Amino acid sequence: AMYEQGGSLPRWPIANVYSGCMIGNHGYQIILDNYVKGLRGFNATAAYTAMKEEAINPAVPHTARPCLKEYLSLGYCPSESAGNSVSLTLAYAFDDWAVGTMAALLGKSSEASVFLNRSANFKNVWSSERQLMCQRSRSGEFHCPLDPAFHEWMFTSSGFTEGDAVEWVWFVPHDIPGLLSLFHSNDSFTQQLEEFFVRAQEHHSNFLPNPYYWAGNEPDLLAPYLFNFVRRPDLTQKNVRWLLDNKYTTAPDGLAGNDDYGTLSAWYIWGAIGIYPLTGTTTYFLGSPALEKATIKTSSGTLLICAESIYGCPTAELNAQFVQKSIYGCPTA
């Protein structure tokens, strides 16, 4: 309705009004996720048209992409054009993937190819020397922070939105194998990701932003599940459980940030259930359920998740169906 009446898809709307707040066009992910999961009670062609228009037209009202012209010509947002140029590039690459995937599903193969190629632009702000996403000038030079775990964005232009370099390095939710390929090795990826969570546990306050994993904001919500891609599901389970137990409480500071339209609470619910969705796909990551049993009603039936090894579960309820493998054939134990 907002597209039909206002000319663009909403981004962080408030009371049905365009706010223009935050970055990217992540409403695309909601459209794609619904379509992929079979929830198609909307005009998919019109939705795709709106997505495509915002991704190519810098004059779209309300939710135009800052730095779009240079993003299209250079393949990244240069530091001279935006103080949060790295975050913009990563967000646009993610959203371009949603446009391309939607185009492919609608049979628009040539358009799909264009946007899916653009979704690899996250590689253009990768510093192989520093193993980080860094600001890059129009002439191509990288400018990486001296202290990548300092929340410089709170004081000056740092290249990032509400985060630092060690937090945003993991924000490639649409192409995790592609992100993994940028690191020196799978072992270096695992080591850097594990250190990210070990260092996060040194910061106990929920009041101030954590310079490592920050449970109070969205860029790293998927990060604990990335261990599944390097055959370390044990580290996914360990860190998800630690976050559930330590960053979500019933105390006044029981959320590390504001709930952002319920996003942080939704992360907790998925984590407690023991699975986590990869947006825009039918893939779910395995975690470590904190609930004895969860029943999810779906359009095709009822899904029972029972933490047998933790709590015990009646055999009759299991119905002899067990998870044998997690993502990409990685063993679950």
Side-chain angles (χ1 to χ4, degrees):
M2 291 188 71
Y3 167 64
E4 293 173 349
Q5 297 174 20
S8 62
L9 295 170
R11 182 178 69 213
W12 209 263
I14 299 175
N16 293 330
V17 175
Y18 292 102
S19 72
C21 182
M22 301 311 297
I23 64 172
N25 307 95
H26 297 335
Y28 299 177
Q29 314 301 334
I30 298 174
I31 293 170
L32 174 62
D33 205 56
N34 277 272
Y35 193 81
V36 167
K37 291 180 171 65
L39 304 175
R40 301 183 178 183
F42 62 95
N43 187 331
T45 301
Y48 169 71
T49 299
M51 294 163 67
K52 181 180 73 170
E53 180 68 11
E54 291 182 4
I56 62 175
N57 183 1
V60 168
H62 310 300
T63 56
R65 292 185 177 186
C67 187
L68 178 58
K69 290 183 178 180
E70 288 180 297
Y71 173 78
L72 295 179
S73 63
L74 297 174
Y76 62 94
C77 289
S79 55
E80 297 94 334
S81 295
N84 57 347
S85 58
V86 183
S87 294
L88 287 178
T89 300
L90 298 175
Y92 295 166
F94 182 31
D95 295 335
D96 285 343
W97 169 81
V99 181
T101 304
M102 194 71 182
L105 292 170
L106 295 176
K108 303 177 183 295
S109 57
S110 59
E111 294 180 9
S113 178
V114 170
F115 288 104
L116 292 176
N117 284 338
R118 278 170 47 173
S119 75
N121 282 346
F122 66 90
K123 298 177 181 179
N124 295 332
V125 290
W126 173 259
S127 168
S128 58
E129 179 182 356
R130 292 291 301 277
Q131 296 284 279
L132 293 168
M133 303 292 181
C134 295
Q135 294 188 86
R136 194 174 180 185
S137 68
R138 288 193 183 99
S139 57
E141 292 93 357
F142 284 98
H143 301 281
C144 297
L146 294 176
D147 181 359
F150 176 57
H151 275 203
E152 188 179 0
W153 65 274
M154 301 177 72
F155 309 100
T156 186
S157 298
S158 66
F160 301 98
T161 299
E162 296 187 3
D164 55 39
V166 298
E167 291 169 335
W168 275 94
V169 70
W170 312 110
F171 190 79
V172 189
H174 62 290
D175 187 5
I176 301 166
L179 172 64
L180 181 57
S181 72
L182 298 177
F183 285 79
H184 294 315
S185 66
N186 284 9
D187 287 344
S188 65
F189 176 94
T190 306
Q191 181 179 355
Q192 189 165 326
L193 185 58
E194 187 172 13
E195 181 183 4
F196 182 60
F197 285 97
V198 169
R199 297 295 300 274
Q201 295 180 27
E202 298 171 359
H203 299 265
H204 303 290
S205 173
N206 263 3
F207 178 69
L208 296 174
N210 194 312
Y212 293 89
Y213 183 91
W214 182 16
N217 214 350
E218 285 83 353
D220 289 320
L221 293 183
L222 189 62
Y225 294 92
L226 299 183
F227 289 107
N228 284 302
F229 286 82
V230 286
R231 298 182 179 274
R232 291 302 305 271
D234 58 306
L235 292 178
T236 284
Q237 295 158 18
K238 172 185 175 182
N239 287 295
V240 168
R241 179 57 65 87
W242 183 86
L243 290 166
L244 293 174
D245 291 344
N246 292 275
K247 292 300 178 181
Y248 293 83
T249 74
T250 56
D253 64 346
L255 280 176
N258 71 68
D259 207 14
D260 279 354
Y261 291 170
T263 302
L264 302 186
S265 293
W267 188 95
Y268 178 88
I269 291 170
W270 282 113
I273 289 172
I275 59 176
Y276 194 80
L278 183 61
T279 187
T281 75
T282 56
T283 294
Y284 290 81
F285 295 97
L286 297 179
S288 177
L291 302 175
E292 178 178 351
K293 184 172 65 175
T295 302
I296 303 174
K297 294 182 178 180
T298 73
S299 59
S300 57
T302 299
L303 173 65
L304 172 66
I305 300 175
C306 185
E308 183 195 19
S309 62
I310 301 174
Y311 301 103
C313 190
T315 305
E317 291 186 301
L318 290 174
N319 196 27
Q321 296 183 26
F322 300 89
V323 174
Q324 299 296 330
K325 294 192 280 188
S326 65
I327 304 306
Y328 298 106
C330 299
T332 58

